[in-house]
Structures are given as C-alpha cells and as structure tokens.
Amino acid sequence: MRTTVGIIGAGPAGLLLARLLHRAGIDSVVLESRDRAYVEQRQRAGILEQGTVDVLREAGAGARMDREGLRHDGIELRFDRRRHRVDFPGLTGGRSVTVYAQTEVCKDLIALQLAEGGPLLFEAEALAVEGADGDRPRVPFRHQGREDVLECDYVVGCDGFWGVARKAFPDDASQVFERTYPYAWLGILADVAPSHDELVYARHDRGFALLSMRSPSVSRLYLQVPAGTEAGEWSDERIWAELDRRLETDDGWKLERGPITQKSVTPMRSFVHEPMRHGRLFLAGDAAHIVPPTGAKGLNLAVGDVVTFARALGHERRTGSPEALDAYSATCLRRIWQAERFSYDMTTMLHSAPGATAFDARLQRARLERVTSSRAAETDLAEAYTGFPLE
C-alpha cells in the first residue's frame, strides 16, 4: 500500500490531520489499532479552545458541534467559600471555549473520512516505523489477520504515549522532560443537569474539585484523590458528600445530585518529548506531550500539532521549500511549553499536595487573590485558557 502521508492513530489528531490533508488535495492512509466502536466511545477531553473550534469549522467538521456544543464565555474560580467569574470575551477580545466531547469530535471526523477521505483502517495495528531517516519510510502493520506494509513520503505518529512512532526515535536523538504528580482525579458522569452553567474550579483544603458537564442533562465532576486510588474505593454517597464540601459557598449555591453512571481515575503527569521530528517521522498529540487535565489543553495541543504539519506540508507542495517542515518541531514546542506552563500553574494553584504546609496553603490563596483582583493576571489566565495562537 502506498500513500503520501501515513497516519498512525485515529484519535482526534490523526482524524483531523487526514481531513486537513484531504481538503488540501494530499492523500493519506490512517491506521487505527482499535475498532470503530472503541474509538467513538473512549472518554477523553471535553473543552475545545477557540482555535480548535475555528479549525473544525474550516475543515467542514463543525456543523454538529455548532448545534450541540455548549459555548462557554468564562469559568468560575472558587476558594474560601467565595466565587469569582473569569469573563473570557471581555478579557480576550471575544474569545471563548466550547464544551463538546472528544468522542463527538471523533464521530464527526470518522463519518467525514469514510464518506469523502482516504482509507481509514480500523483494527490495523502498526508494528513499527522503518526507514524514517530515508526518503521512503515504511509502516509494517497487521490488518484482518494479514501483515502488510504502508509505504509513505511522511509518517505522522498520532498513536499516543505507548505507540510505535515515538519508539522509532533513536535514543541519542531524544530528550524527555516529565513530572508525575502525587495525586489523581476521580471523575464521574452523572445523569443530572449541571449545577452551574460554566465550569467551576474549586480550591479547598481537602483537595481540588471541578464541576463540568457533557450536555445540558449530563454532569461531569472530578475530585482530587491520592495517586493510585481505585475508583471502586469511593461509594456514590461518599463522592457526592465530598463534592458538597469542596464546592460549598457562602451564598447558598447548591450542588444537584443524580445517578452516577461512570467512575474513573485519571493520573496526573506532564511529559514532553523533544524533538518532535526524526527524518520523515513526525510526532503529534500524546505521542509527543501530555499535560495534567487542569488546563484543558491535551486535545487542543494535538490539534495545534496537526494544523502545523498540514500547513507545513502544504507550503512544501506549493513552493518546493522544506523550511516549514524543518521548523515543525520548534514551532509546535513553543506552544506546547506555554501550555505545559499554564497547566502546571493551574494544577499547583488549585491542588493540595501531600505534606503541604500552612505556608504552601497561604501561597495558593495569594495566587488566587492575585488572579481575582488583577485584570492583568486574570487576562493572562483567560488568554491561556481560550488558547495560544496557532503559528
């Protein structure tokens, strides 16, 4: 099998890249190790930055998002039983975010790819990336019980942290930066209307809490728990009681309860692999970087990566110059490190670390007081949350 761009992974990054390339008249093949049902059901991110929304619309993949997504013009910061709203449009010149689950983004892009785009092979396991430092990289893969080879001009690894793409980088050409946090998020889905019309980020001495949503009738909520916690350790009643404590305010606000339909635990870590290119192999999304979910950056960073690659390849096709492709890694990493910085700041400002002292708690409150009393500090948060520019 032969194509211009071999894409490993049919998450939102791989699917969006295939869509962007199709719109630019560049052929691709997408290899996905899981079946379609799994890809369309795996729960991940739910916040789309302004730039991600714009890209999906421009790619012809925004119709259902515009009908069903929930535009949010701010978030609420909550601490010491007080509430403070951050007004995104007022601080950023009109930018906002949209609540639209990654599962729905994938469904939309899969439907478009199958109807209009190049081959999208489910249950096609990429086994390796070979010859990345030559002119014709190859991806051996297994599909429907048979082994085949995808020959490409370029390979883009959108196959996550454990995928084969990152493993194809030589050890002496790779540098890894990472941090593991000593806490995790216990997340629930509940069949109850959200208790607030925007996301609520709460700092509490007992630990962080987040009120989010998936739709007008389904709430998504999170609690900070110790790293290594099992979801089954927490009963429904214990979860709701703890959410009540951490989200409580002095103005009579009430958390509405409902049946919990799903529980899961998300570990917290930061990770960056440099560089993001080796020869004709490019990394995108979780294959290259991971952020703690506090800043809502993971999916959006992946979108930035594939937009950068698609633009760079289009530039090379139009002009014959490889300049933009050569700059891919540096271009992406500027944005990635700003997102890592923001995610780290949000995480450490809102979570209670094991062994934290009274001094540490006072510093957290001071940081929150600064954000909620200084327009400059609040603007910095709003600009980062709604998205760093796509270069």
Side-chain angles (χ1 to χ4, degrees):
M1 186 178 291
R2 177 97 180 95
T3 191
T4 300
V5 181
I7 301 171
I8 308 175
L15 291 166
L16 178 58
L17 176 57
R19 180 66 181 171
L20 295 173
L21 295 175
H22 171 73
R23 302 267 289 190
I26 301 171
D27 61 295
S28 69
V29 173
V30 183
L31 304 177
E32 168 56 47
S33 62
R34 302 283 193 159
D35 62 25
R36 180 177 179 178
Y38 180 90
V39 175
E40 292 186 339
Q41 292 170 10
R42 55 187 169 194
Q43 293 289 334
R44 293 290 189 273
I47 304 295
L48 307 183
E49 295 174 353
Q50 182 70 64
T52 297
V53 169
D54 294 343
V55 166
L56 289 171
R57 287 173 179 156
E58 290 167 8
R64 193 162 70 94
M65 174 190 68
D66 286 335
R67 289 196 309 271
E68 301 178 13
L70 307 174
R71 173 180 164 138
H72 281 198
D73 287 335
I75 59 172
E76 183 172 288
L77 297 176
R78 198 172 285 192
F79 62 103
D80 294 342
R81 300 168 64 96
R82 292 179 286 150
R83 305 165 64 180
H84 177 86
R85 181 175 185 269
V86 179
D87 173 19
F88 291 157
L91 294 163
T92 65
R95 296 171 68 83
S96 63
V97 297
T98 296
V99 176
Y100 191 63
Q102 174 175 312
T103 50
E104 306 310 310
V105 174
C106 287
K107 289 175 187 176
D108 296 342
L109 290 169
I110 287 170
L112 285 169
Q113 185 69 9
L114 293 177
E116 304 174 10
L120 167 54
L121 305 182
F122 291 104
E123 298 180 87
E125 180 187 5
L127 303 175
V129 178
E130 300 173 350
D133 49 1
D135 292 336
R136 294 290 175 88
R138 304 164 76 248
V139 183
F141 67 97
R142 185 181 297 112
H143 183 231
Q144 296 180 340
R146 299 178 58 185
E147 293 196 3
D148 202 343
V149 175
L150 179 61
E151 297 181 343
C152 326
D153 294 332
Y154 304 95
V155 177
V156 182
C158 306
D159 53 342
F161 180 81
W162 300 107
V164 299
R166 189 168 62 87
K167 295 175 183 176
F169 276 61
D171 290 342
D172 60 1
S174 301
Q175 193 169 9
V176 169
F177 304 87
E178 57 187 331
R179 174 184 291 270
T180 301
Y181 297 85
Y183 34 74
W185 279 10
L186 171 63
I188 65 167
L189 281 174
D191 285 339
V192 61
S195 301
H196 192 62
D197 56 1
E198 294 175 338
L199 272 69
V200 176
Y201 289 77
R203 187 259 171 216
H204 193 279
D205 288 341
R206 296 177 65 91
F208 170 76
L210 171 62
L211 186 159
S212 183
M213 65 279 300
R214 280 294 177 262
S215 74
S217 61
V218 177
S219 293
R220 182 73 160 153
L221 301 111
Y222 297 93
L223 285 169
Q224 175 189 340
V225 294
T229 295
E230 297 289 337
E233 298 172 18
W234 284 70
S235 68
D236 292 6
E237 175 56 34
R238 183 185 177 193
I239 290 170
W240 286 118
E242 194 62 28
L243 286 166
D244 275 333
R245 292 188 191 97
R246 298 187 193 183
L247 291 166
E248 190 175 21
T249 65
D250 283 333
D251 61 2
W253 176 88
K254 178 176 171 54
L255 176 66
E256 299 297 333
R257 298 188 179 192
I260 295 175
T261 60
Q262 185 184 102
K263 300 177 188 177
S264 60
V265 174
T266 302
M268 306 280 281
R269 62 191 300 249
S270 301
F271 165 84
V272 180
H273 180 281
E274 294 188 12
M276 292 171 58
R277 176 190 181 181
H278 172 62
R280 288 177 173 259
L281 169 61
F282 298 76
L283 300 181
D286 287 358
H289 45 75
I290 294 171
V291 290
T294 325
K297 287 285 163 274
L299 167 61
N300 297 290
L301 282 180
V303 168
D305 295 344
V306 298
V307 168
T308 300
F309 177 82
R311 289 176 178 173
L313 184 56
H315 177 77
E316 190 269 342
R317 289 301 172 94
R318 290 190 307 272
T319 68
S321 170
E323 180 181 7
L325 282 172
D326 290 343
Y328 170 79
S329 185
T331 301
C332 291
L333 285 167
R334 282 193 291 272
R335 191 168 186 267
I336 289 161
W337 276 112
Q338 285 302 316
E340 291 282 357
R341 185 271 307 170
F342 173 68
S343 298
Y344 173 83
D345 287 349
M346 287 284 285
T347 300
T348 56
M349 180 172 68
L350 293 165
H351 290 71
S352 299
T357 65
F359 182 85
D360 298 323
R362 288 293 190 183
L363 283 181
Q364 285 183 312
R365 290 190 180 95
R367 292 165 69 184
L368 284 160
E369 292 282 4
R370 174 65 178 170
V371 168
T372 56
S373 63
S374 163
R375 184 175 178 85
E378 193 175 18
T379 298
D380 182 64
L381 186 152
E383 288 179 344
Y385 199 98
T386 56
F388 299 106
L390 291 170
E391 296 185 41

